[in-house]
Amino acid sequence: MNSESSSYEGGCTCRYVRYRMTSIPLFVHCCHCRWCQRETGASFALNALIEADHVQLLAGEVDRIDTPSNSGKGQVISRCPRCRIAVWSNYAGGGDAVRFVRVGSLDEPDRLPPDIHIFTESRQPWVILPPHTPAVPQYYNASEYWPRESLERRAALAASR
Ligand SMILES: [Zn+2]
Ligand SMILES: [Zn+2]
């Protein structure tokens, strides 16, 4: 892959915040939990999980907003300080090392379809899931679903902390 095809750029709506993912993500979640439905105002959230140091801020800065989460442990949502659009979150589990980049904030969101559908027990009934993408009622073990390269990247991340 050349740098063009392996980099993914995105940003907020007012274009103050611009960022680049410097690699493909570890995994892409389509989350159908009620919390994501409320936060997006829609039916699900689409998040690309990626090492924080694989996300470069190209322009602007983000406000980190402490926000309640489904787990009760909280999340930090990074938002543009001007238009308040969210570009990524950090959850208690992955800490600061793993960012959940909002796929819809990428310039080319079509490049990152879901690798798994999670919390499908609260999926809105009109949303039809594709038959060949894994789907689980709640959460899952990465070791069962992530590709080997992503598990190796996760292990490297854990070792460096
Ligand atoms: Zn903005
Ligand atoms: Zn969710």
Side-chain angles (χ1 to χ4, degrees):
M1 272 194 285
N2 63 35
S3 59
E4 200 85 83
S5 67
S6 63
S7 81
Y8 299 80
E9 293 188 9
C12 66
T13 291
C14 79
R15 297 187 71 82
Y16 175 69
V17 173
R18 294 291 299 167
Y19 68 85
R20 175 187 295 141
M21 292 170 35
T22 58
S23 71
I24 60 168
L26 297 160
F27 215 56
V28 178
H29 284 175
C30 186
C31 184
H32 299 262
C33 83
R34 295 295 186 204
W35 291 70
C36 287
Q37 292 177 15
R38 186 168 51 239
E39 286 163 23
T40 58
S43 307
F44 49 76
L46 200 53
N47 289 311
L49 282 61
I50 187 168
E51 298 93 326
D53 62 3
H54 290 204
V55 183
Q56 297 173 340
L57 200 55
L58 302 175
E61 59 194 313
V62 293
D63 268 357
R64 292 166 50 90
I65 312 291
D66 285 318
T67 309
S69 74
N70 196 10
S71 72
K73 296 176 189 161
Q75 61 174 319
V76 178
I77 302 182
S78 291
R79 295 180 176 278
C80 169
R82 296 185 182 176
C83 71
R84 295 286 164 189
I85 294 296
V87 285
W88 56 74
S89 300
N90 293 86
Y91 288 92
D96 282 338
V98 176
R99 286 184 186 164
F100 284 58
V101 173
R102 303 227 170 170
V103 171
S105 72
L106 288 162
D107 297 340
E108 298 177 36
D110 300 359
R111 294 173 69 187
L112 295 179
D115 292 313
I116 193 169
H117 292 266
I118 62 175
F119 288 100
T120 60
E121 64 182 12
S122 51
R123 168 182 65 88
Q124 292 177 13
W126 60 268
V127 175
I128 310 299
L129 300 181
H132 302 298
T133 304
V136 293
Q138 295 186 347
Y139 212 68
Y140 68 97
N141 280 325
S143 57
E144 290 174 40
Y145 289 97
W146 285 20
R148 188 173 49 83
E149 303 77 45
S150 294
L151 289 170
E152 287 170 2
R153 281 164 61 184
R154 187 179 71 155
L157 201 61
S160 69
R161 278 200 268 174

